[in-house]
């Protein structure tokens, strides 16, 4: 299981790295509005929307000159969280299938 998890982790690390390289190549300059939405989406995903979590948001530390809305960031984070939850339930099943095909049974049972 450690070898399979390490390989999957390495593959995902490569995916993130090459996605970042592609983004830098295709869109090297990020506008302030895009940066705001990117950080706001990160904060919503990382800290949630509870009143106690709002103090952790970057926008309290670095307020912008122009008031902006979080509606787009909240919608994007919500759709991302649904995908993340789906993948979290699906990933163990995929790993079990890989282990069964490779070792004849899931290693998690040991």
């Amino acid at each position: 299981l450690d070898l399979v998890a390490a390989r999957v982790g390495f593959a995902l690390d490569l995916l993130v790295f090459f996605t970042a390289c592609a983004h830098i190549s295709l869109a090297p300059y990020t506008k302030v509005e895009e940066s705001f939405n990117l950080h706001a989406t990160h904060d919503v995903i990382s800290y949630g929307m509870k009143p106690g979590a709002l103090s952790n948001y970057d926008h309290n530390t670095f307020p912008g000159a122009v008031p902006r809305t979080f509606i787009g960031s909240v919608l994007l984070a919500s759709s991302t969280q649904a995908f993340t939850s789906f993948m979290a339930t699906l990933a163990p099943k995929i790993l079990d299938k890989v282990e069964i095909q490779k070792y004849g049974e899931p290693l998690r049972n040991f």
Side-chain angles (χ1 to χ4, degrees), residues 44-58:
V44 171
I45 291 171
S46 297
Y47 305 117
M49 293 289 297
K50 295 180 181 176
L54 298 179
S55 63
N56 295 325
Y57 280 30
D58 282 344

Side-chain angles (χ1 to χ4, degrees), residues 1 3-4 6 12 22 25-26 29 41 51 55 60 67 82 87 101-102 105-106 110:
L1 177 64
L3 181 62
V4 172
L12 292 175
S25 300
L26 297 173
Y29 305 106
T41 303
S55 63
N60 291 327
M87 290 307 291
Q101 288 178 346
K102 189 168 185 179
E105 58 187 307
F110 292 109

Side-chain angles (χ1 to χ4, degrees), residues 5-63:
R7 287 183 179 172
V8 169
F10 183 70
L12 292 175
D13 288 343
L14 286 177
L15 178 66
V16 169
F17 176 76
F18 287 117
T19 301
C21 289
H23 178 72
I24 291 169
S25 300
L26 297 173
Y29 305 106
T30 303
K31 298 179 198 171
V32 172
E33 293 82 9
E34 293 169 350
S35 176
F36 172 85
N37 286 326
L38 179 69
H39 286 278
T41 303
H42 170 268
D43 290 342
V44 171
I45 291 171
S46 297
Y47 305 117
M49 293 289 297
K50 295 180 181 176
L54 298 179
S55 63
N56 295 325
Y57 280 30
D58 282 344
H59 301 89
N60 291 327
T61 306
F62 306 104

Side-chain angles (χ1 to χ4, degrees), residues 50-80:
K50 295 180 181 176
L54 298 179
S55 63
N56 295 325
Y57 280 30
D58 282 344
H59 301 89
N60 291 327
T61 306
F62 306 104
V66 179
R68 294 181 175 93
T69 180
F70 269 73
I71 293 173
S73 300
V74 169
L75 292 174
L76 179 60
S78 298
S79 65
T80 303

Side-chain angles (χ1 to χ4, degrees), residues 105-110:
E105 58 187 307
L107 298 176
R108 196 168 305 147
N109 295 334
F110 292 109

